[in-house]
Amino acid sequence: MWDVVRESLRCPTAGPNLSLVVQVLQQEEQADRDWAQREAATAPAGPRPRQLKQRWKEAVAEAADASLPQQVEAQAGQLAVYLERLRSRVVEDLGAACRNAVPIYPEEYAAFQVYAQSYHKAVTRRLHTITSAALQVTDTYSLLDWIYNIYNRDVLNVVSKPTPINRSQLGPLLPSETVDKLELDCLNSVRDKVTNELSQVLDNEEKRWTEMLQVEEYQSSLARTVIQRLQVDLDRSASINRDLGSRVAHCSLNGLADFLYSFKKKVEIFHETQIESAERVDGYISTTIAQVNCCPPFRNFVQRCSQGASEVSEDSARRANASLDRIVHQGVKVLADRLFENIRPFFDKLVKRKWLNNTDAFDAIIAIIKEHFKKFHRMDCPPYQTLVSEVHRRVLIEYLRAIMRGRVICTSLRMRKRMASRLRDESKQLKVLFKDLESTSSWLDSAVPHLSEIILLEDTPSIQMEVGVLVREFPDIRKKHISAILNIRGMTRQAERQEILNIVKDIENSDSLTQLSRDRALFSEVPVTSEIHCLNLGLSRIALTATSCVSGLRPRRKRTPVRAPSDEML
């Protein structure tokens, strides 16, 4: 009888024999019931019930257990393959049971439920055996995915379509404490990666920086390597369920914050070593850019971990981003300083008498900036925007410093026009340059044109209006800056100067510009050193007047045409 039960699962022609077995089962069940009634009415006569229906269930369970692949077939690291075979066999056998055996049993036997429970228990026994030994982390993820998703979606949902199953009678595949241990193994794997694997990756990267100094290499594989290793755990855990994905993301973010702090410290040591070194190797620029280029992908990965993790991860995200900000800031400073080492001497030659007729110094500044940005362009965005905006700002500061030194004092309208024209022209060239370099700090471009207008304008109301516009666009400008410009344009009458400077004083006292001042700081870094020139201008005028008086006391000579002094002579 039980051979027929076991063979009927896969044999479409076993129906007649299985029908006979079912008849015997029903007859014996009825005999057992009759015996039980007699037993209740009379004295006990010994054990009669044969319980063939229970034996039938055991035969179905034996058939299920014998049909499923054994766990010894699951090789380390290949558990997913074994679980797929297990899934396929369960679906195949239960489908065959639906077709060949279940229709023959009476409805009260709930035959398909018996078959489903038998296979469920057989699967459970195999999973118990699998989890009794240590698993590789890849097998742990595969098993959790099978328990949480594949078994319900691709086994129970599939086989229950033709005949519903009471899933509440099946029970869990594994005890909750076993599942918790499997999830903890996943978290421990992430911690081990960050503590051991990634630390070794960072040490290797640090050694590689020394080698990169001898060549120009602008990209590093550090970010890609680290992200790829952590990405595996994030993807696998998130595909299993949200809770495990959140826990793994939180663990990954904590470890990543520690890793990026170590990365930052190694970058700082690298720069300190290079600054102390007297050598100026070309590879320093490219290595710095390679370090900074690691930051955008790391920042994106931090954001992804933050989105997947719980709210308690905010501190770790801040720590991670703070380390990345420091690396970018330090890299930008190194590159900007290296550029200004080359161009600063040329700023000392600007806004002098010779500068009015000679463009060599300014042309050199433009050329050097372009040359350096051939390398700087290898920096990825958004750090590149930070770099070019910083260079843009510092160039304007140096240019304004040259103006505020007051080394040119205009003594005529013609000279004022020449100087204003030169300032406008060079300002336009700087604007075009930084637009081509994709600077996002275009607000800097209007500073010099406003100053040129103040130098050029004739009447006090127009100058006051221009000063008002300038102060509103650059709220950190102060009276000393405007005073220096008035010195340059040769304005010595105190009444007019005070009228103009009062405009600055009124806006300086306005509270509405406080926030804007922090966002648009430019003139606050520009010192004024032109006061002495204002005194020199006054003394020069006194000297000219005294000379004129002395000349008037001398004996008159024959008059000859006198040529007016040129602007350069003045």
Side-chain angles (χ1 to χ4, degrees), residues 120-367:
H120 181 81
K121 291 178 180 178
V123 169
T124 298
R125 285 192 293 273
R126 280 158 175 75
L127 298 188
H128 272 283
T129 304
I130 289 172
T131 55
S132 64
L135 294 176
Q136 293 186 5
V137 67
T138 54
D139 289 339
T140 303
Y141 280 121
S142 298
L143 183 55
L144 286 171
D145 189 31
W146 206 84
I147 293 170
Y148 279 118
N149 303 308
I150 295 176
Y151 185 70
N152 288 294
R153 183 186 66 232
D154 298 337
V155 176
L156 297 183
N157 285 349
V158 171
V159 301
S160 63
K161 283 183 179 179
T163 305
I165 299 173
N166 186 348
R167 299 191 186 189
S168 63
Q169 296 180 2
L170 299 181
L173 287 172
L174 286 174
S176 59
E177 57 269 19
T178 303
V179 176
D180 291 342
K181 180 182 179 302
L182 292 173
E183 293 184 355
L184 183 60
D185 289 343
C186 295
L187 298 177
N188 289 334
S189 171
V190 175
R191 295 188 184 100
D192 182 68
K193 262 183 191 176
V194 176
T195 305
N196 299 317
E197 289 185 37
L198 298 188
S199 296
Q200 184 60 48
V201 169
L202 185 56
D203 290 340
N204 295 337
E205 178 71 10
E206 185 181 24
K207 295 176 183 176
R208 186 168 166 268
W209 292 339
T210 304
E211 300 172 359
M212 290 171 63
L213 290 174
Q214 310 306 318
V215 294
E216 291 193 16
E217 190 172 346
Y218 295 87
Q219 296 294 334
S220 167
S221 61
L222 176 66
R224 182 173 65 254
T225 301
V226 171
I227 291 171
Q228 283 177 347
R229 297 196 182 190
L230 294 179
Q231 188 85 45
V232 173
D233 295 274
L234 280 181
D235 291 342
R236 291 301 303 271
S237 61
S239 67
I240 292 171
N241 63 41
R242 177 177 294 181
D243 179 64
L244 180 60
S246 176
R247 293 168 66 191
V248 170
H250 176 71
C251 185
S252 299
L253 186 57
N254 285 341
L256 187 60
D258 294 337
F259 171 84
L260 292 176
Y261 179 79
S262 300
F263 178 35
K264 181 204 73 169
K265 296 300 291 183
K266 289 186 180 295
V267 169
E268 289 175 344
I269 294 172
F270 171 78
H271 287 306
E272 289 173 4
T273 303
Q274 294 304 311
I275 292 172
E276 292 172 0
S277 173
E279 297 183 8
R280 284 291 184 265
V281 293
D282 292 338
Y284 183 37
I285 291 178
S286 58
T287 305
T288 299
I289 292 175
Q291 292 168 346
V292 173
N293 283 345
C294 292
C295 295
F298 272 136
R299 201 180 298 277
N300 292 336
F301 191 68
V302 167
Q303 183 178 7
R304 188 197 160 177
C305 291
S306 300
Q307 291 172 346
S310 58
E311 294 181 0
V312 296
S313 300
E314 292 181 1
D315 181 64
S316 296
R318 280 194 295 268
R319 288 195 299 119
N321 284 315
S323 296
L324 294 173
D325 291 341
R326 174 60 180 165
I327 294 170
V328 171
H329 173 77
Q330 198 163 19
V332 167
K333 184 178 184 304
V334 165
L335 298 180
D337 287 348
R338 180 62 63 91
L339 169 62
F340 276 84
E341 285 178 8
N342 291 274
I343 63 174
R344 187 169 285 112
F346 294 98
F347 278 105
D348 292 335
K349 300 179 181 180
L350 299 183
V351 197
K352 292 183 176 180
R353 287 279 184 171
K354 187 177 179 181
W355 162 78
L356 285 172
N357 299 309
N358 191 314
T359 64
D360 291 348
F362 185 80
D363 293 342
I365 293 172
I366 298 293

Side-chain angles (χ1 to χ4, degrees), residues 68-70 73-74 79-91 146:
L68 295 184
Q70 298 300 314
E73 302 175 24
L79 184 58
V81 177
Y82 171 75
L83 292 173
E84 174 56 26
R85 292 186 58 203
L86 198 63
R87 180 205 66 79
S88 177
R89 183 62 60 84
V90 172
V91 172
W146 206 84

